Amino acid sequence: MLGAIKRELFEGIRAAVADAGYGHDVDPSAVELEAFDDEEKGEFSSAISFAIAADAGKNPMAVADELAASHRERGLPSGVASVTVVNGHINYHLDVERMARRTLSTIDAEGSAYGAREREDPDRIVADVSSPNIAKPLHVGHLRNTILSDALMNVLEERGHDVTRDNHLGDWGTQFGNLLHEYVEFGDAEAFEADPIAHLLELYQQFERRDGLLEDVAEFGALTDGFETAVAEERAYHVDDGKEWFARLERGDEAAVERWEQFRESSIERFEAIYAELGVEFDCWLGESFYAREGWNDRVVDRALEDDVAMRGPDGSAFIPIYPDDYDDGGAPDSDGVDPSLDRAREALDEAGSVEDAAFDAFYIVKSDGSTVYGTRDLATIEYRVSEFDADQSVYVVASEQNRYFQQLFVAARKMGYSDIHLEHIDYGMISLPEGSMSTRGGQIVTVREVLDAARERARDIVAEKGRNVEGDEVDAIARKIALATVKYGMVASNRGKDVTFDIDEAVSLEGDTGPYVQYATTRAYSILDSAPAVPAVDGIDPAAFNDTDYNLLYHLGRYPLVLERCEERYDAAPLARYLLDLAHVFNSFYHKNRVLDAESAAEERLVLTDATAQVFENGLGLLGIDTLAEM
Ligand code: ARG
């Protein structure tokens, strides 16, 4: 209901501004939700008077008085008791009894749909989620991605959009040529059978290590010419053969494809086991290979060249030049901000003599050896999403390491003429465990498996130590849910852009700012409800019986839909995670300060309130993919 009031207040202010004859644009951000019972600011306030006064050369206090008076006269929304002006701010104070009644009846009526929105014209959103590379284990970075994207897509769906989750696997590219080479030379069918990902990772690292070593030797300068030639030959033997394997793969050569398919399928099988454990699903797994094998790469390459958006380099490669000013609003959904012509690039290339030195960035779509690259597949993906999905948005949950790349991709896409689709890189920071930061280099990766096992073990200790009335098999089942709450909450609690150190010992605690803490608050609500004979009907209770602690809790329940709105605006689940933590704190203090079951007054009212709180916990935790627990 706070969302509805906020909207009505914004409309009222807009009308008041127009009535007063100010030609000022008012948008919904003119009204802000404040804390509950803020004596000065009220629950909602607006600072619009300052901007209007500045435009009109007036005093902001006078403008605020004028607008407040006009708004009062037009009538305040139902649920708002009064409007005041303090220091030029227009402040609105809730009618708490009305708020209580409206909030409780809305939650009662909507139940598990409380917070959800229906739209006449939802956006069709196709999202890259998880998207690991095959032949390598899932590491904590993927864990953050998978959990964040699942929660965020749940929220976008709850907000009424039509979401397709695409696990855009990294399953194509020169590295798989290298891996095929290495496997053919050194692979071991038994080792592959036993643990495909481990074996392939080993081979891949061996290839890289050798190549790096040979490069160092070549750079250092060999002792004799013969030695130098031998080093160069050895390097070429592996690298050229790797390239040849990838070329075969791109040509559809049967032997190459068959082996590659084994790599891919065995990787997917392992990934799926982990996804199942996390309770995460996808609508499709197209992967980079799809666009290569189904002709989508060729389609975009041909078109880019035909339309003179891409040009050939001196070595036969093809790229889309990106000029420095293209970046200014490169991701914006219209192509006006980018210069698709090649004239500047041709001139710059003439002047500099090489692509590397020229005054533009080259977004490659074909390498000199004719093979495609990562960026080709991403342009092909956009083409596919536009033409096959008729997508309104193509969004990418991908680590912020790739920020620059996505800026370039979006500029290139605009140059290609994809101007109506909203492109969004939903980036997120690095995740490390306290021991140090993760990196796939040098084999020092922390896998998802390790993190999940560690969380499970800690959770089991906690249940064994603190669990009431739980025994045997139940301990395991509960520990599993607590472990998931630990990991899932930990992955989304910080704003996604931030780097995070994930400390399992802290994250599993029932006392800190953790998932299990929120879970525990919910269990407490359930146990109150369990001990009550029945939850009374909302219509029968008297909201005047509530005290300020109750109203504070009601206010938090009422703001839940606004939190989801904020998540949508920011493409982040962190506001929801933080909200649930706040709600848990507020509910705990409600529980400690008030009597519920044996209250002298308001016992019925508080049961209804507790029931509504449990519902909001369920809805919010559900979106984060966290189960609630009847016992813990
Ligand atoms: N597979 C890539 C990686 O692990 C991420 C892919 C992201 N999606 C994309 N369309 N580029 O780095």
Side-chain angles (χ1 to χ4, degrees):
M1 68 94 62
L2 295 179
I5 292 187
K6 188 168 180 274
R7 244 184 334 275
E8 289 165 35
L9 284 174
F10 145 68
E11 276 155 16
I13 291 188
R14 190 165 57 179
V17 169
D19 282 353
Y22 298 114
H24 196 93
D25 248 3
V26 184
D27 67 50
S29 69
V31 181
E32 292 218 46
L33 182 66
E34 306 290 345
F36 175 67
D37 207 19
D38 185 324
E39 294 260 313
E40 192 179 307
K41 292 194 186 130
E43 282 77 24
F44 292 96
S45 90
S46 176
I48 191 89
S49 16
F50 292 92
I52 293 180
D55 280 356
K58 285 198 170 179
N59 176 340
M61 324 287 157
V63 173
D65 279 328
E66 184 186 6
L67 294 178
S70 148
H71 199 172
R72 204 176 288 121
E73 214 160 284
R74 306 186 117 266
L76 296 171
S78 131
V80 175
S82 64
V83 52
T84 58
V85 171
V86 180
N87 295 330
H89 290 262
I90 308 171
N91 309 317
Y92 298 90
H93 305 263
L94 283 174
D95 172 339
V96 287
E97 285 179 32
R98 274 196 114 102
M99 163 187 80
R101 162 93 55 214
R102 245 174 103 170
T103 304
L104 292 174
S105 29
T106 308
I107 296 173
D108 183 51
E110 297 181 356
S112 63
Y114 177 60
R117 198 183 145 173
E118 277 175 33
R119 289 174 200 260
E120 308 237 309
D121 184 20
D123 269 7
R124 182 161 301 177
I125 302 175
V126 187
D128 271 28
V129 294
S130 199
S131 311
N133 297 327
I134 61 164
K136 286 186 181 176
L138 297 179
H139 59 72
V140 284
H142 298 118
L143 187 64
R144 188 173 192 189
N145 185 325
T146 306
I147 288 168
L148 165 67
S149 55
D150 187 55
L152 179 57
M153 297 310 142
N154 289 341
V155 171
L156 293 175
E157 274 169 355
E158 194 76 347
R159 295 280 304 154
H161 296 297
D162 166 2
V163 177
T164 301
R165 303 160 197 237
D166 181 9
N167 192 344
H168 186 89
L169 285 181
D171 58 359
W172 206 250
T174 332
Q175 70 269 37
F176 298 106
N178 295 343
L179 191 57
L180 285 168
H181 162 81
E182 205 69 10
Y183 190 87
V184 169
E185 293 273 321
F186 307 104
D188 176 335
E190 248 169 60
F192 177 76
E193 215 33 60
D195 189 343
I197 293 185
H199 186 54
L200 295 176
L201 179 68
E202 206 174 289
L203 290 174
Y204 179 76
Q205 287 173 339
Q206 174 174 300
F207 184 98
E208 294 272 288
R209 213 164 35 236
R210 182 181 54 240
D211 197 52
L213 214 65
L214 291 171
E215 186 181 357
D216 286 349
V217 175
E219 262 173 30
F220 186 73
L223 293 172
T224 65
D225 287 352
F227 188 46
E228 194 166 293
T229 317
V231 166
E233 273 173 8
E234 177 70 5
R235 224 185 145 196
Y237 170 73
H238 295 286
V239 170
D240 291 351
D241 194 47
K243 280 193 182 142
E244 179 50 33
W245 274 107
F246 183 53
R248 280 196 215 166
L249 203 53
E250 291 225 283
R251 277 202 305 272
D253 170 276
E254 215 174 295
V257 169
E258 197 179 310
R259 188 146 276 145
W260 166 84
E261 262 169 0
Q262 280 177 349
F263 295 172
R264 184 177 194 271
E265 269 152 33
S266 59
S267 301
I268 290 179
E269 198 180 298
R270 303 289 155 134
F271 294 164
E272 271 184 324
I274 298 229
Y275 291 137
E277 216 171 304
L278 291 174
V280 167
E281 285 176 12
F282 310 100
D283 299 300
C284 44
W285 297 65
L286 294 180
E288 291 181 44
S289 60
F290 171 80
Y291 303 96
R293 305 182 75 205
E294 301 291 319
W296 294 89
N297 275 348
D298 297 341
R299 193 157 147 177
V300 287
V301 169
D302 290 349
R303 196 159 71 70
L305 286 167
E306 262 164 39
D307 291 356
D308 268 341
V309 171
M311 61 193 272
R312 289 282 179 192
D315 58 358
S317 61
F319 57 83
I320 300 176
I322 298 183
Y323 309 120
D325 42 296
D326 284 333
Y327 289 112
D328 296 345
D329 59 352
D334 60 68
S335 49
D336 296 352
V338 296
D339 174 4
S341 97
L342 297 178
D343 301 345
R344 280 162 78 184
R346 292 204 173 103
E347 236 168 75
L349 191 56
D350 271 350
E351 210 169 283
S354 77
V355 179
E356 288 70 45
D357 296 330
F360 58 78
D361 291 328
F363 186 84
Y364 281 95
I365 55 174
V366 181
K367 289 207 277 195
S368 59
D369 62 11
S371 60
T372 61
V373 293
Y374 185 57
T376 325
R377 268 107 54 195
D378 267 325
L379 283 177
T381 305
I382 295 175
E383 166 72 27
Y384 182 76
R385 289 176 181 178
V386 168
S387 60
E388 301 292 304
F389 275 92
D390 195 16
D392 300 299
Q393 299 192 28
S394 179
V395 304
Y396 307 82
V397 182
V398 182
S400 37
E401 288 158 352
Q402 294 190 35
N403 279 350
R404 187 70 175 165
Y405 167 76
F406 276 100
Q407 279 177 352
Q408 298 191 340
L409 171 67
F410 295 169
V411 169
R414 298 307 177 206
K415 293 194 182 204
M416 294 278 296
Y418 305 114
S419 51
D420 291 335
I421 188 166
H422 177 84
L423 303 170
E424 181 88 29
H425 176 202
I426 302 171
D427 63 335
Y428 58 87
M430 284 252 291
I431 175 138
S432 52
L433 301 196
E435 295 82 45
S437 125
M438 315 289 136
S439 138
T440 31
R441 310 264 151 194
Q444 289 307 313
I445 58 165
V446 176
T447 61
V448 173
R449 182 72 278 142
E450 288 169 288
V451 174
L452 291 181
D453 289 347
R456 176 91 51 98
E457 205 174 290
R458 308 283 205 291
R460 210 175 274 134
D461 291 345
I462 288 191
V463 181
E465 189 189 319
K466 303 206 172 150
R468 280 182 287 246
N469 326 319
V470 287
E471 285 166 54
D473 285 357
E474 252 186 312
V475 173
D476 247 19
I478 293 178
R480 195 163 336 120
K481 290 186 175 178
I482 295 180
L484 276 182
T486 300
V487 173
K488 290 194 173 184
Y489 193 90
M491 293 298 124
V492 297
S494 304
N495 286 347
R496 62 177 163 78
K498 284 206 182 137
D499 291 347
V500 165
T501 308
F502 180 63
D503 185 330
I504 298 182
D505 293 315
E506 280 174 21
V508 79
S509 153
L510 298 182
E511 273 113 47
D513 294 354
T514 67
Y517 174 79
V518 181
Q519 240 174 357
Y520 192 49
T522 313
T523 305
R524 171 169 283 164
Y526 287 151
S527 84
I528 295 174
L529 295 168
D530 251 7
S531 350
V535 178
V538 181
D539 289 344
I541 62 163
D542 176 13
F546 287 129
N547 65 21
D548 267 359
T549 314
D550 302 320
Y551 287 130
N552 188 28
L553 178 55
L554 280 153
Y555 160 88
H556 281 281
L557 298 180
R559 81 187 174 88
Y560 173 67
L562 286 172
V563 172
L564 299 188
E565 186 178 310
R566 166 158 300 196
C567 288
E568 177 185 356
E569 277 162 16
R570 298 193 182 175
Y571 290 97
D572 197 0
L576 175 58
R578 268 195 309 271
Y579 165 81
L580 290 169
L581 189 69
D582 277 356
L583 186 64
H585 283 302
V586 173
F587 177 70
N588 283 341
S589 80
F590 155 88
Y591 171 86
H592 287 299
K593 285 194 195 146
N594 288 331
R595 305 185 149 267
V596 180
L597 295 172
D598 53 352
E600 283 174 13
S601 60
E604 306 257 284
E605 284 72 14
R606 289 193 184 126
L607 268 179
V608 173
L609 178 50
T610 302
D611 192 39
T613 307
Q615 182 72 63
V616 175
F617 274 132
E618 273 174 28
N619 294 4
L621 287 172
L623 294 176
L624 296 186
I626 297 176
D627 287 327
T628 59
L629 286 165
E631 307 264 6
M632 75 192 269

